[in-house]
Each structure stands twice: as structure tokens, then as C-alpha cells.
Amino acid sequence: MNGKILDFRSDTVTQPTDAMRAAMAAAVVGDDIMGEDPTVARLEALAAARFGKEAALFLISGTMANQVAVMALTQLGDEIIVGEESHLFNLEAGGIAGLSGVQARPLRSEAGRFDAGAVRRAIRPRGVQSPLSRLLCLENTYDLHRGIPLPADYLQAMADLAHERDLRVYLDGARIFNAAVSQNTTVAALCAPIDALQCCLCKGLAAPVGAMLIGSRAFIDRARWVRQRLGGGMRQAGHMAAAGIVALETMSLRLGEDHDNARHLAEGLAGIDARLVDPSLPRTNVVQIDFGASGRDATPIVAALQARQIRIRQIDAARCRMVTHWGIDRDAVDTALAALREILC
Ligand SMILES: *Cc1c(COP(=O)(O)O)cnc(C)c1O
């Protein structure tokens, strides 16, 4: 895997499994823009079935999936409601404005959830001077730095609220399998009220690249055309899709291990200093650490870990995050905890 370096920065650092490498080498492929790649077709059918939706589309990245979805579901000048800590709003190079020409209405969240009243107030009344509120964008797990899983009843309530006012609901489900596994449910159950969603293959599922857009047949037909407009059509993409099939079929089953390791990490951190972690947050594979709460500066701590071959992500002067994944086992967590104890105590 990563040699001696223990890389907790993100679950995007995962290397493809041996089964993925074998599947990629053996894949039967064709020209997917001509609709002739059987492996891509198999991945798309598998993803649609897993989520209980009509159709799916394979894309090069979660970012492109989000951008294609917004472009397929909006018109110039529309307004879309997004989370203040969402990927769509913060980490896509201004794509929603630059590519789709829509404006964002960012909403605050409390422990990952929007207030229903705030969502209602954010939906514009129709009028000649108002932008048209078109989409409610949710993310599950929510918040890059905290990975909060959102439950089915919350998603249903948000969707009801949006649908009542004629908005569509789009879900950035980059880590939707983490959300489902952590709540003992299925992605199909969680996403039942959602109109369209994306799920990343290249995070905890460990595929080298790729994301799936999933939704109605009409949405996916339009998304395929938008993807082509953005230059995202691919030819013999089956080699990459083959890894995606392994990701969906097998890697989604082991995420509970990552969550156990994250819980072990958070408990170990709390044992060093209770102020480092928020024990009240539901957890998936992300642990946010607040060194500032005990008056510490994160920068020298990150450097001291790095000197011990342990990499974590610094968010700001006070906070860091650590992510567990397929390349991080229980021993790696214990090694990191021992190093942190030494550095902090
Ligand atoms: C990683 C991520 C994306 C983007 O996926 P890429 O494949 O890295 O482009 C989108 N949304 C969320 C919530 C993510 O974590």
C-alpha cells in the first residue's frame, strides 16, 4: 500500500485492491460514447439497481458528477440551496456559477442538519423579481471535515419540503455507503426520496477513479448529453468501470471496519484530552480534532506527526481531520495514537 507512511489525510488516498487490478486487466471494453462498452453498461446497471433507481451514468469524478447534475437540472440564473460546508459550494472551483450560471443560497447546519424553517424561508416565492429556486442540494455524509451521516427521516422531511414547493432534490452522496453502513440501512432506503444523486467510487470504496450519477431515465439521458458537452465522454472506459464494479460489489461491505477504527481513534484521542474531539457527533470514517480547544497550535503537531511518517490534514490553525480507510488498519490507528500521546503529553 503506502509503504511505511500512514496516510490519514483522506480516504481518497486508497490504492486499488488486487481484485480491482485483475478486473481492470481482464475487462472487455468498447467505445462508450458509441454506447458499446459492456463493462461500463454493467457498472451502470449495477449502480441503478443498488440504489433502486431507473438509470445511472459513469463519470470521471464526483466533482464532474455534481457539476453535470446541476447543469442538467437547472437553467441560467436559477438559485440552488446548498450547505455552507458542502463540497458543491466550497471545493468545485466555482463551477455552479461558472458552468451552470446559477447562484448559490448557502444554509448553515446544526450537527449536519438544516433547520426546516430556514429551508422554507430560503425557497423564494415566485415573482417577476425573484430568482427561481430550483434545487435543494443535500450531502450525505455531510461536511468534509466531520462526515456526519444523515438519517432517512431527515432526508424524507427535507425532500417533502422541497417537493411541496416544486424544487427537486439532489444528493451529493460521495460517501453515501458510509452513511448507510453506519446507520444499518441500505443506500436504496436512504435515497428513496431523492430525485438524483452521485456516489463516489474512489473514496472509501477504493477504486482508482470514478463516480456514478443515479436517477430517473430522463435525468440520466440529459446528464449523458451534458457530460459530453463538458468533454467527459470516455471511450474504452470499461477498464476503469471494472474497478468500480469491484468497489460497489465488495468494498461497500467493509466500511464498518473504517467506522470502528474511527471510533477507536476518537476514543483514544478523548483519552489523551477530552477537549480534542466532539463526542456528541455521530461518526463515520472522519474524525475532526480541535487542538485549539486546549490552547494548542495545530501546525507543529502536524509537522511532528509527519516526522514520524504519519500524515493528517490540517483544516486551520486549530483543527485537523483524520480519516480511516482501507489503507489504515487498527494497528495504524494505535500507532498514530501513541505518536499523538507522545507529542501532546
Ligand atoms: C470527494 C467529494 C466530492 C468530489 O469527488 P472527486 O471524485 O474528488 O471529484 C464531492 N462531494 C463530496 C462530499 C466529496 O467528499
Side-chain angles (χ1 to χ4, degrees):
M1 283 184 240
N2 288 324
K4 272 173 43 212
I5 295 176
L6 302 181
D7 197 339
F8 287 88
R9 289 172 303 165
S10 176
D11 47 10
T12 57
V13 303
T14 43
Q15 298 276 312
T17 66
D18 291 344
M20 285 176 188
R21 292 178 196 271
M24 285 189 273
V28 178
V29 298
D31 187 324
D32 185 53
I33 293 179
M34 297 189 197
E36 292 172 3
D37 190 305
T39 307
V40 172
R42 196 149 62 84
L43 172 63
E44 292 179 346
L46 176 67
R50 254 329 247 289
F51 284 83
K53 306 283 190 208
E54 286 173 9
L57 180 69
F58 181 47
L59 296 104
I60 202 76
S61 70
T63 301
M64 184 177 271
N66 279 345
Q67 293 301 323
V68 165
V70 170
M71 198 178 269
L73 294 169
T74 61
Q75 293 175 19
L76 276 180
D78 283 348
E79 188 164 85
I80 68 174
I81 300 171
V82 295
E84 215 171 54
E85 295 92 7
S86 66
H87 198 281
L88 199 48
F89 184 51
N90 294 291
L91 293 173
E92 305 196 2
I96 55 175
L99 296 171
S100 295
V102 300
Q103 65 187 30
R105 184 78 178 263
L107 285 191
R108 273 173 17 88
S109 75
E110 198 63 56
R113 299 181 190 215
F114 298 145
D115 171 64
V119 175
R120 266 193 209 95
R121 288 189 296 279
I123 300 174
R124 310 260 188 185
R126 295 289 155 98
V128 70
Q129 291 181 302
S130 303
L132 197 76
S133 301
R134 183 78 68 174
L135 274 187
L136 172 61
C137 299
L138 304 172
E139 193 180 282
N140 197 11
T141 63
Y142 181 59
D143 190 343
L144 229 33
H145 301 312
R146 297 185 299 170
I148 301 170
L150 299 169
D153 59 346
Y154 167 79
L155 298 172
Q156 181 72 56
M158 286 292 125
D160 288 347
L161 226 158
H163 290 151
E164 246 165 56
R165 302 281 298 274
D166 213 19
L167 276 72
R168 301 280 208 87
V169 182
Y170 174 67
L171 177 79
D172 178 348
R175 295 187 180 81
I176 190 66
F177 283 99
N178 295 89
V181 165
S182 72
Q183 301 177 94
N184 282 316
T185 182
T186 62
V187 291
L190 274 183
C191 297
I194 303 298
D195 299 303
L197 70 118
Q198 77 99 355
C199 118
C200 279
L201 302 172
C202 61
K203 304 267 166 86
L205 301 186
V209 290
M212 306 305 299
L213 262 185
I214 301 155
S216 69
R217 171 74 54 197
F219 164 70
I220 291 299
D221 285 349
R222 180 158 174 81
R224 190 177 298 279
W225 180 80
V226 170
R227 182 188 68 171
Q228 190 63 25
R229 168 179 277 184
L230 296 177
M234 297 177 281
R235 301 296 182 180
Q236 285 72 36
H239 286 295
M240 292 182 296
I245 292 170
V246 176
L248 282 184
E249 282 184 337
T250 68
M251 296 302 279
S252 59
L253 306 174
R254 59 155 301 285
L255 295 174
E257 241 176 83
D258 297 343
H259 301 167
D260 290 345
N261 284 335
R263 198 174 312 112
H264 181 65
L265 174 63
E267 285 166 3
L269 284 163
I272 297 170
D273 182 336
R275 293 166 294 186
L276 290 174
V277 290
D278 180 347
S280 70
L281 282 183
R283 230 176 273 294
T284 50
N285 65 331
V286 185
V287 177
Q288 182 176 295
I289 311 173
D290 189 354
F291 294 110
S294 52
R296 291 183 172 96
D297 179 356
T299 306
I301 299 170
V302 173
L305 285 169
Q306 172 97 36
R308 291 166 165 82
Q309 312 274 47
I310 297 166
R311 306 190 73 179
I312 74 174
R313 166 153 319 161
Q314 186 165 358
I315 303 166
D316 55 29
R319 297 174 307 155
C320 293
R321 75 165 193 178
M322 293 176 75
V323 181
T324 54
H325 52 77
W326 183 69
I328 293 289
D329 58 15
R330 182 57 66 105
D331 283 350
V333 173
D334 286 331
T335 303
L337 281 171
L340 275 161
R341 199 169 291 114
E342 236 177 73
I343 294 163
L344 295 173
C345 298

